[in-house]
Amino acid sequence: MTDSQQIIESKLLSITRHFLLELDAERAIHAISIDASLERELGIDSLGKVELFHRIETTFSIRLPEKVMAEVDTLRDLMIFIEQNHPTQLASSTFTPTLETSSLDLSSTNTLLEVIQVYARYAPDRPHIYLHHENGQENIIRYGQLFEIATQVAQGIQQHGIKPGETIAIMLPTSDAFFYAFCGTLLAGAIPVPIYPPFRPDKIEEYIKREAKILENAQVRLLITFSQAEMLSQILRTFIPSLKAVTTIDHLKTHSFDLKDVIVQTQDIALIQYTSGSTGEPKGVTLTHANILANIRAVVRAIPIKPTDAVVSWLPLYHDMGLMNWMGSLYAGIPVTIMSPLTFLSRPEEWLWKIHYHRATLSGGPNFAYELCIKKIDPKNIAGLDLSSWRFAFNGAEAIQPSTLERFTQKFAAYGFKAEAFAPVYGLAESTVGLTCQTQQRVPRIDTIQREAFALNNQAIPADTNKDTLQFLACGEAFVDHAIRIVDDAGNILPERMVGNIQFTGPSAMQGYYNNPIATQKIWHDGWWDSGDLGYLADKEIFITGRKKDLIIKAGRNLYPEEIENIVNQIPHIRKGCVVAFGVNDQRIGTEKLIIVAETYERDEKQQHAIRAAIIEKVAIFLDTPPDVVILAPPQTIRKTSSGKLQRSACKQEYLSGKISRQPISAKFQLAKLTAIGLYKKCVRGLVYGAKLFFLMYVASIFMMTFPFALMSIFLFPRRITRGVFQFWARNFFRLVFCPVLIKGKDFLHANSPMIFVSNHASYADSLLMLGILPTNVLFVGKKEILKSFIMRKIVNKFGFLTVDRIDFNKNISDTRLIEAALQQKNSVFIFPEGTFTYATGLRPFKLGAFSLAVETQTPICPIAIQGMRSILRGDTWLPKPGKIKITIAKPIYPEDKEWREVTRLHTLVRTEIAKHCGEAVLNLVVAGAMVNKI
């Protein structure tokens, strides 16, 4: 070892030893060595590493790159880096020039694509994003550049065979690649699904399993990631049958391919946002372009946004708050400075300096962000800081502590920060992101209430004194055109100052959970969505008291885990922010037991006994009820979400299964285990592929032996007989390939008057199936592209089938007249209102052409639901498998008049009826009220 290495090693060990002494981590101190794992052996978590690395930076006058801070696991890794790199100073920043006011009117735009295209066309040189790099430099992404590179990405996406409406996962850190991937996905007509990239090697197995559930639920077709994660992504790929490829932005941009035009409508899905705390079945919030634009416009109006505003955000782009910070700036045409979350966590003063240099007016984050600034920012690092431009400091996404706001104001008032800038907000992904906020600048309103009435009677009664009280912050009123209400468990609306379930409605409300109708039904209540949060109203403002699922009911008292955790966090030797409280049903005593799990470095039994006694005493004093079980666990025991929130329900499940104190497993072992599981899945998939290939050969042989006889009838017999031959052949073909067809409601097929038949579309074989069951006077309506095939052209011409330029043919007068003429000649027609199908399971949005035609011609419309075809022959594959097919023919629905509202009525009723019987989730609940109640 060289002399310089010895000096660096000695300093690193000394800094780490002093750091652990402050944490009272005696056991970890004895384990210190140059090769000890900071997380597994020394128990230093991500926030602890931030503080330790900050001290190392100060000592060595060096700046550690974010990559090093995220990936380093031993002091030896740090020693090597420090020796190889000379100390660097933070690059200087400059003030952002004030932009000219944008004169573009975006009020008539219907999709995010239109917003991007308008700016790219009329203001291509306008700065959009100031992207902060860890060396202190920034690069500017302009609207024209965003559109140009996103178009290249979209070309690459389409070259991979991704169809409009299919899903693409974006697993990227904060970088320019994320914005190009997101916008490129939209330009290709696909649906972006942001997922967080892996950061901690000791959580690889947990990460893979969680993300696999998400990707499988979303039926993702393409994964866009960064080169360093490709190996991990390939492991992930073995778990996801739908995934066609794993790629990078650089690879997508290399494709030379003309971008195909895609038609995107306001009710098309624009984003699937998965909730960060999901521990069971994934819940992907489905948001349309209309939802997102409605939320952005509501925020712009509520704040309100000014042309001179500027935004700074360090929030992760894979979470709703960070994503909507960017999208809101995109729409409003105001500059947004984007920082990496790692930069903020390691140097929170960088956040404030960005506000200073860019004269930012809008910025914020969860409560912990302000706490981090209070605790970690040294005044010597913010000399000359000016926060006077900051007029809207929003605080949301987790419980807001009144004391945090007070201490932040006290510390930063000298730097120009005003208490009136604080704006507690309330929102959730299910409402796009924002739902309530203060409409006027003021000092945050704190409501002090009686603890006893709150715990026993769910009442928020104002307290006369500060003794035995609770405090909650007002989070403002609901946005315009949105509404919130408080109800009890029976759905009865509660008066002001009664605590109950928070429900909401409005144009920002989601369309449901993607591919998860059961979870959607659970929170839908006659036009209102259940937020899962508890709160009360006072003077029309909302006060959030906690999560319903986390509420602990013990001996008739309502106990809130946040309050219990705050109490325990104040006890010495307990790791701050690493305490969870939850309830467990105990049938023996007839109520819930209060369980507290707290992390500590302390391993001495006597010391642990003293800590446990202190917890019991302090909780009993504050809540008048002691905890039933107190568990002291080693560091890294308590599970958190990717955004750092406590996963109480996950900890509860681990407690019940006896896993709460197990030691973490090494990353190498996890990778080996995942590789073995992946190989097993590949073997199984190979066997399944072989079986499908064999079955395909059988199906092909049956087709080749039988279809020529049906085809010959085209040249030998008149139309009516030929149609009967094809009908007979189609029916028996499905029997011969072991796909029996069960038909319910046959009587509705044979009407005396013309009918418009419509059905869901899930497979290439749907038309063949319908050919076998529909009467011979029914004319199929399809796209003109099918005429490119010689055989299909012969069949279409023989049967007099109708071809149109677009399935949404009400926009093409000649096509509409053609179908009207067929109906007047006493023929019925058959239409797929979805227009197309994709790999993804689910009933897609219906186009209005068929329903407009029914109203114009006063022709009844008959819904047909096909169940089972997608599993037999899925999109993008020619490998079938045997299975049962169920067809439900519903009672025809008759138009009542020729008004436009009748078109939407028929659309809703027909789609609802098909949704009831098709066996698939509704991908997009355009008219949620009529749909969700009946699915």
Side-chain angles (χ1 to χ4, degrees):
M1 183 181 292
T2 65
D3 291 341
S4 64
Q5 287 178 330
Q6 289 179 343
I7 294 172
I8 295 171
E9 177 182 350
S10 176
K11 287 186 177 181
L12 287 175
L13 290 172
S14 177
I15 295 168
T16 306
R17 188 174 290 108
H18 280 89
F19 177 66
L20 292 173
L21 278 171
E22 290 180 14
L23 296 175
D24 296 318
E26 291 185 15
R27 182 179 179 184
I29 292 171
H30 295 304
I32 290 179
S33 74
I34 196 70
D35 292 308
S37 169
L38 297 177
E39 294 193 13
R40 294 194 307 275
E41 297 177 61
L42 303 186
I44 302 175
D45 64 3
S46 56
L47 286 177
K49 285 173 68 176
V50 166
E51 173 60 23
L52 175 63
F53 289 178
H54 178 68
R55 298 182 185 192
I56 291 170
E57 285 181 318
T58 302
T59 300
F60 289 94
S61 298
I62 193 170
R63 176 160 183 152
L64 298 175
E66 292 161 14
K67 181 180 179 181
V68 171
M69 300 184 75
E71 297 179 357
V72 157
D73 189 48
T74 67
L75 295 177
R76 184 178 297 279
D77 297 333
L78 279 174
M79 180 185 72
I80 293 171
F81 176 84
I82 293 171
E83 185 184 30
Q84 293 177 348
N85 293 268
H86 297 290
T88 59
Q89 298 300 322
L90 183 67
S92 61
S93 300
T94 56
F95 283 97
T96 302
T98 303
L99 298 181
E100 293 183 6
T101 301
S102 173
S103 60
L104 298 178
D105 181 11
L106 299 175
S107 60
S108 60
T109 52
N110 295 312
T111 67
L112 290 172
L113 278 184
E114 291 181 28
V115 172
I116 298 169
Q117 290 165 344
V118 166
Y119 276 111
R121 183 174 181 180
Y122 297 106
D125 296 327
R126 187 177 183 82
H128 170 37
I129 299 171
Y130 291 85
L131 189 61
H132 172 78
H133 295 281
E134 58 182 298
N135 62 3
Q137 299 295 331
E138 294 176 347
N139 71 292
I140 302 175
I141 300 176
R142 302 180 187 275
Y143 281 98
Q145 176 188 353
L146 177 66
F147 181 75
E148 180 182 351
I149 298 180
T151 300
Q152 296 173 14
V153 172
Q155 292 168 346
I157 289 172
Q158 288 187 345
Q159 186 124 15
H160 273 87
I162 305 302
K163 298 179 179 178
E166 293 188 327
T167 50
I168 296 178
I170 301 174
M171 187 177 77
L172 291 168
T174 298
S175 61
D176 55 358
F178 180 92
F179 304 107
Y180 300 141
F182 193 95
C183 294
T185 299
L186 291 177
L187 286 169
I191 304 169
V193 183
I195 61 174
Y196 78 96
F199 290 117
R200 293 182 55 180
D202 63 321
K203 299 292 184 181
I204 289 175
E205 183 178 0
E206 177 186 321
Y207 173 84
I208 289 288
K209 289 181 176 180
R210 180 184 180 276
E211 298 308 306
K213 286 183 179 180
I214 288 175
L215 298 181
E216 190 171 10
N217 175 259
Q219 298 177 320
V220 165
R221 305 295 279 148
L222 189 68
L223 173 60
I224 303 176
T225 187
F226 51 105
S227 57
Q228 296 90 331
E230 282 188 291
M231 183 274 291
L232 191 63
S233 302
Q234 293 298 340
I235 295 177
L236 198 59
R237 186 178 178 184
T238 63
F239 289 79
I240 315 299
S242 63
L243 195 58
K244 296 178 69 174
V246 175
T247 187
T248 64
I249 284 294
D250 290 338
H251 178 70
L252 289 171
K253 290 187 333 188
T254 60
H255 290 277
S256 178
F257 186 78
D258 290 335
L259 185 65
K260 297 178 182 177
D261 290 335
V262 293
I263 300 170
V264 179
Q265 299 177 336
T266 186
Q267 291 295 349
D268 287 342
I269 301 173
L271 169 68
I272 301 174
Q273 179 71 56
Y274 280 87
T275 54
S276 62
S278 177
T279 57
E281 288 300 312
K283 292 189 291 186
V285 173
T286 305
L287 299 172
T288 64
H289 289 271
N291 294 144
I292 294 174
L293 290 177
N295 199 252
I296 291 172
R297 286 164 178 156
V299 172
V300 168
R301 182 175 178 179
I303 292 178
I305 299 291
K306 300 177 181 178
T308 54
D309 279 326
V311 180
V312 169
S313 177
W314 56 264
L315 296 164
L317 294 167
Y318 44 81
H319 284 155
D320 50 2
M321 275 206 306
L323 198 58
M324 291 307 296
N325 267 351
W326 163 53
M327 288 187 186
S329 304
L330 174 76
Y331 178 89
I334 58 177
V336 56
T337 301
I338 301 289
M339 300 168 52
S340 165
L342 289 175
T343 298
F344 166 71
L345 290 173
S346 58
R347 285 175 285 274
E349 65 272 12
E350 285 289 322
W351 176 32
L352 304 187
W353 276 117
K354 287 302 171 188
I355 294 173
H356 165 95
Y357 283 119
H358 290 272
R359 309 314 300 148
T361 55
L362 312 173
S363 192
N367 193 80
F368 89 87
Y370 297 98
E371 278 288 344
L372 199 64
C373 290
I374 295 167
K375 296 175 181 176
K376 301 297 184 184
I377 295 180
D378 190 327
K380 69 181 182 183
N381 292 329
I382 54 174
L385 180 71
D386 180 11
L387 299 178
S388 60
S389 65
W390 199 358
R391 71 181 184 90
F392 191 91
F394 67 84
N395 187 332
E398 65 179 7
I400 306 172
Q401 302 298 327
S403 61
T404 300
L405 276 59
E406 182 180 350
R407 288 183 290 118
F408 186 91
T409 302
Q410 288 175 351
K411 180 169 184 175
F412 295 101
Y415 302 92
F417 183 82
K418 299 175 286 293
E420 293 83 356
F422 265 127
V425 297
Y426 173 62
L428 62 168
E430 286 82 352
S431 184
T432 303
V433 65
L435 183 57
T436 74
C437 75
Q438 294 178 180
T439 56
Q440 295 178 343
Q441 283 194 306
R442 67 178 188 198
V443 174
R445 174 187 174 186
I446 299 175
D447 195 28
T448 304
I449 63 172
Q450 299 174 14
R451 182 193 298 273
E452 192 72 11
F454 177 79
L456 294 178
N457 303 319
N458 290 321
Q459 289 180 295
I461 300 175
D464 296 328
T465 66
N466 290 327
K467 186 178 180 180
D468 200 24
T469 60
L470 292 172
Q471 289 187 327
F472 294 104
L473 274 161
C475 292
E477 300 180 28
F479 293 150
V480 173
D481 297 328
H482 297 68
I484 53 176
R485 68 180 186 182
I486 309 296
V487 300
D488 60 20
D489 290 339
N492 301 309
I493 298 177
L494 296 175
E496 283 204 341
R497 293 199 168 275
M498 285 296 296
V499 179
N501 305 301
I502 301 174
Q503 294 184 350
F504 66 94
T505 188
S508 300
M510 68 171 182
Q511 304 300 308
Y513 292 120
Y514 191 82
N515 211 13
N516 196 339
I518 295 175
T520 301
Q521 283 180 301
K522 285 182 179 179
I523 67 168
W524 176 255
H525 304 281
D526 297 325
W528 294 79
W529 296 98
D530 196 329
S531 68
D533 292 318
L534 297 171
Y536 62 92
L537 288 170
D539 302 322
K540 297 183 180 180
E541 292 194 277
I542 188 72
F543 294 80
I544 314 300
T545 60
R547 293 287 293 171
K548 182 178 181 180
K549 68 177 182 179
D550 295 332
L551 183 67
I552 305 164
I553 304 176
K554 179 175 172 61
R557 295 175 63 89
N558 293 334
L559 306 179
Y560 287 76
E562 293 92 344
E563 183 184 11
I564 298 169
E565 291 156 4
N566 286 334
I567 293 170
V568 178
N569 273 318
Q570 300 169 18
I571 296 173
H573 307 296
I574 295 297
R575 300 187 69 222
K576 304 299 183 288
C578 297
V579 179
V580 292
F582 52 85
V584 174
N585 283 324
D586 190 331
Q587 296 181 352
R588 181 176 53 84
I589 61 176
T591 187
E592 284 192 322
K593 292 194 298 184
L594 171 58
I595 314 295
I596 296 175
V597 179
E599 291 184 3
T600 179
Y601 288 102
E602 188 58 63
R603 283 291 166 267
D604 182 78
E605 289 188 9
K606 290 184 178 180
Q607 288 294 328
Q608 284 197 352
H609 179 77
I611 295 171
R612 196 175 285 108
I615 292 174
I616 293 171
E617 180 183 9
K618 197 153 191 175
V619 171
I621 290 173
F622 273 86
L623 301 182
D624 198 28
T625 181
D628 296 280
V629 178
V630 174
I631 297 175
L632 297 181
Q636 313 303 316
T637 297
I638 293 172
R639 293 177 62 178
K640 297 182 179 181
T641 69
S642 58
S643 57
K645 296 179 185 178
L646 297 169
Q647 288 186 303
R648 298 187 183 92
S649 54
C651 293
K652 178 177 178 178
Q653 292 304 315
E654 289 187 346
Y655 166 78
L656 293 173
S657 62
K659 300 178 181 177
I660 197 69
S661 60
R662 290 187 183 178
Q663 294 298 316
I665 303 171
S666 70
K668 290 183 179 179
F669 181 83
Q670 293 179 63
L671 282 172
K673 181 179 177 182
L674 289 168
T675 302
I677 295 173
L679 288 173
Y680 170 76
K681 287 182 175 290
K682 282 185 176 180
C683 291
V684 172
R685 201 169 296 157
L687 292 173
V688 172
Y689 180 85
K692 286 184 176 181
L693 195 62
F694 178 80
F695 184 64
L696 172 63
M697 295 170 62
Y698 170 76
V699 172
S701 63
I702 295 295
F703 184 85
M704 295 300 293
M705 287 189 293
T706 59
F707 181 68
F709 293 101
L711 188 61
M712 287 172 58
S713 66
I714 292 178
F715 306 97
L716 300 176
F717 305 115
R719 176 186 297 180
R720 184 176 179 183
I721 296 176
T722 303
R723 182 69 184 274
V725 171
F726 267 79
Q727 187 181 63
F728 176 81
W729 169 75
R731 287 178 178 176
N732 287 280
F733 176 78
F734 283 98
R735 293 192 184 101
L736 291 172
V737 296
F738 306 106
C739 295
V741 180
L742 174 65
I743 305 175
K744 182 181 179 182
K746 291 182 182 179
D747 293 343
F748 295 128
L749 291 176
H750 305 286
N752 296 324
S753 58
M755 189 87 67
I756 298 176
F757 295 97
V758 296
S759 83
N760 55 307
H761 197 10
S763 169
Y764 289 112
D766 290 341
S767 296
L768 181 61
L769 183 66
M770 290 294 101
L771 189 64
I773 71 163
L774 290 176
T776 56
N777 72 326
V778 178
L779 303 181
F780 285 52
V781 179
K783 296 179 181 179
K784 285 186 177 177
E785 286 91 328
I786 62 176
L787 297 178
K788 294 178 182 179
S789 166
F790 172 77
I791 293 177
M792 289 303 300
R793 187 163 62 249
K794 286 291 184 183
I795 294 174
V796 167
N797 292 336
K798 183 70 175 183
F799 295 157
F801 287 171
L802 309 173
T803 57
V804 297
D805 286 326
R806 298 173 57 186
I807 290 300
D808 202 6
F809 44 79
N810 64 312
K811 295 183 180 180
N812 189 316
I813 297 176
S814 61
D815 290 337
T816 304
R817 297 291 178 260
L818 187 68
I819 301 170
E820 287 179 355
L823 292 170
Q824 290 170 0
Q825 295 170 11
K826 305 301 181 183
N827 292 299
S828 294
V829 297
F830 171 77
I831 301 168
F832 288 120
E834 288 173 280
T836 186
F837 64 91
T838 65
Y839 180 94
T841 301
L843 188 65
R844 292 168 57 84
F846 282 5
K847 299 182 185 299
L848 296 175
F851 310 100
S852 176
L853 185 68
V855 170
E856 286 295 323
T857 61
Q858 290 294 286
T859 304
I861 193 162
C862 181
I864 300 176
I866 304 173
Q867 182 177 352
M869 278 304 300
R870 198 186 304 270
S871 61
I872 291 172
L873 185 62
R874 204 173 195 114
D876 279 7
T877 181
W878 288 103
L879 291 177
K881 67 177 183 179
K884 295 180 180 179
I885 303 169
K886 182 179 179 181
I887 298 175
T888 303
I889 301 150
K891 183 179 180 181
I893 302 172
Y894 289 78
E896 296 176 353
D897 55 47
K898 289 192 174 185
E899 299 296 328
W900 173 252
R901 65 175 180 273
E902 190 63 12
V903 175
T904 59
R905 185 183 77 90
L906 291 180
H907 170 276
T908 301
L909 292 177
V910 169
R911 193 160 185 252
T912 301
E913 193 64 32
I914 292 176
K916 286 167 59 178
H917 303 289
C918 71
E920 296 187 355
V922 178
L923 292 185
N924 172 333
L925 309 180
V926 177
V927 186
M931 302 282 306
V932 182
N933 283 328
K934 298 187 177 183
I935 295 176

